[in-house]
Amino acid sequence: MFGNSVRCFLLTAETLSFSETARRLGVSQQAVSKAVSRLEEKLGLPLFTRNRRALQLTDFGASCRSLFQETSSYLQKNLDDLRAQALHAPRTLFVGYQNYIEIPGLLAAGIGRIQQSNDNLNIVCERYSPAGLVDGLLACKLDMALLCQRFLPKNFRLQTAPLTELPLLLLFSSAFSLTGHDLPSLRKAPFIIDRLENESTSALEARAQKEAALVGLEPERIVVTPNRDSAYAAAEMGLGVILCTKASRFLSLPGVKACDTGVSDPLVCCWHSQMSGPLSGEFAQILQTAADALYGG
């Protein structure tokens, strides 16, 4: 309520000198005098008697000094208690990772290490689509996201740390009727792509062309599905090829084949540079160390 005026008053009550108070605070004597005068106006009574030689606390001023000191001590004690509770309270780090990518060993290793140095730390890991991960970061619902670099937006300030390179594969049905199952034979095959949340048709078309060109495809047509499950189902049914990584959960499905494109996409962890706490950066470093151990750097 009184802010800097109380600070000036308490120090002046100790020094009994506006000039000495000003010197200790690094401000002008006039500023100190005005601050004390403002406090006296708000309180309605004088705090000091003023004469040419020195200042003296009035009886009211002495009582206010004791009150403000007691209040300040009470406030500081309660703030210290709250700070201690906050430091020892359970904390939660929300981590999202890209759907259909299998990295349980990496996350398990990272979680084990960060919890060794952070008591009462809970880590919640959930799968999201690439668009869901980016939205979660920007809305501060996620502290960190693990996803393929090609899905990262370029116009937002996200901190990133590379983890490993994920080879890109073309997944298709073993019954897919082509002359061969190598990359040249698949170059013109229908390209299956899933629509991301809230993605416009123009953005989807641009992304499809970009992903196809990334691995050297020139598809005769684009097959659009409403979600990733439907995209993999379309590939299983022989409707075309779908781009995935070597960490895809669907590589183990019976009746599917994969063709290595010779191109890789970095798996990165990212966090909001301005909104995330220090734990995000710490966890990113731990994940990098764990990834080096698991994937060989």
Side-chain angles (χ1 to χ4, degrees):
M1 177 180 177
F2 302 118
N4 191 53
S5 295
V6 171
R7 182 186 180 198
C8 288
F9 163 63
L10 289 175
L11 188 54
T12 303
E14 177 186 335
T15 64
L16 296 177
S17 167
F18 288 143
S19 60
E20 177 61 17
T21 297
R23 186 189 69 80
R24 294 190 187 185
L25 294 177
V27 298
S28 67
Q29 179 176 334
Q30 185 180 21
V32 174
S33 179
K34 284 185 177 180
V36 173
S37 294
R38 285 196 297 269
L39 183 59
E40 288 177 320
E41 289 176 9
K42 290 179 180 179
L43 295 175
L45 288 171
L47 298 168
F48 296 98
T49 57
R50 296 162 172 81
N51 55 51
R52 293 182 179 180
R53 294 184 178 181
L55 295 175
Q56 293 293 328
L57 277 169
T58 63
D59 290 342
F60 176 70
S63 297
C64 284
R65 179 188 186 185
S66 298
L67 176 63
F68 284 133
Q69 286 176 332
E70 289 174 5
T71 303
S72 178
S73 297
Y74 176 80
L75 178 62
Q76 187 61 52
K77 180 183 182 302
N78 280 273
L79 287 175
D80 290 342
D81 290 343
L82 289 173
R83 188 178 297 109
Q85 291 174 20
L87 288 173
H88 292 90
R91 291 170 290 171
T92 302
L93 193 66
F94 292 95
V95 179
Y97 62 105
Q98 190 175 324
N99 53 358
Y100 309 110
I101 289 183
E102 287 297 331
I103 49 173
L106 174 61
L107 284 171
I111 290 171
R113 293 181 187 180
I114 195 171
Q115 287 182 330
Q116 289 177 0
S117 57
N118 292 274
D119 293 337
N120 299 320
L121 175 63
N122 298 318
I123 298 183
V124 176
C125 296
E126 294 185 78
R127 293 184 186 272
Y128 292 85
S129 71
L133 290 172
V134 173
D135 289 345
L137 283 173
L138 299 181
C140 299
K141 295 179 180 179
L142 291 175
D143 297 298
M144 175 176 286
L146 281 70
L147 74 165
C148 291
Q149 184 170 282
R150 70 182 188 277
F151 294 113
L152 283 178
K154 296 181 179 179
N155 300 325
F156 297 95
R157 294 181 179 178
L158 293 174
Q159 295 280 81
T160 61
L163 298 175
T164 188
E165 293 286 329
L166 294 178
L168 292 177
L169 311 175
L170 292 177
L171 193 70
F172 54 94
S173 170
S174 57
F176 197 42
S177 56
L178 290 171
T179 56
H181 291 156
D182 56 358
L183 190 58
S185 301
L186 298 171
R187 196 174 304 278
K188 298 286 187 178
F191 187 67
I192 302 169
I193 193 166
D194 55 310
R195 187 186 296 273
L196 300 178
E197 294 97 317
N198 303 316
E199 188 175 34
S200 66
T201 299
S202 60
L204 173 64
E205 291 175 351
R207 181 167 63 87
Q209 294 297 333
K210 183 178 179 181
E211 292 205 357
L214 178 65
V215 294
L217 298 184
E218 298 174 357
E220 59 184 23
R221 61 189 176 90
I222 304 296
V223 178
V224 178
T225 64
N227 51 56
R228 196 66 175 173
D229 280 324
S230 299
Y232 280 115
E236 274 190 280
M237 290 186 289
L239 300 182
V241 299
I242 184 172
L243 189 65
C244 69
T245 71
K246 200 171 184 178
S248 172
R249 297 163 55 193
F250 284 84
L251 289 177
S252 60
L253 286 176
V256 298
K257 288 184 175 293
C259 172
D260 193 344
T261 66
V263 179
S264 62
D265 192 12
L267 176 68
V268 300
C269 56
C270 53
W271 62 100
H272 203 294
S273 58
Q274 296 178 333
M275 302 299 182
S276 299
L279 275 176
S280 295
E282 181 183 348
F283 193 41
Q285 292 181 339
I286 289 174
L287 286 175
Q288 282 187 303
T289 300
D292 288 343
L294 286 171
Y295 309 122

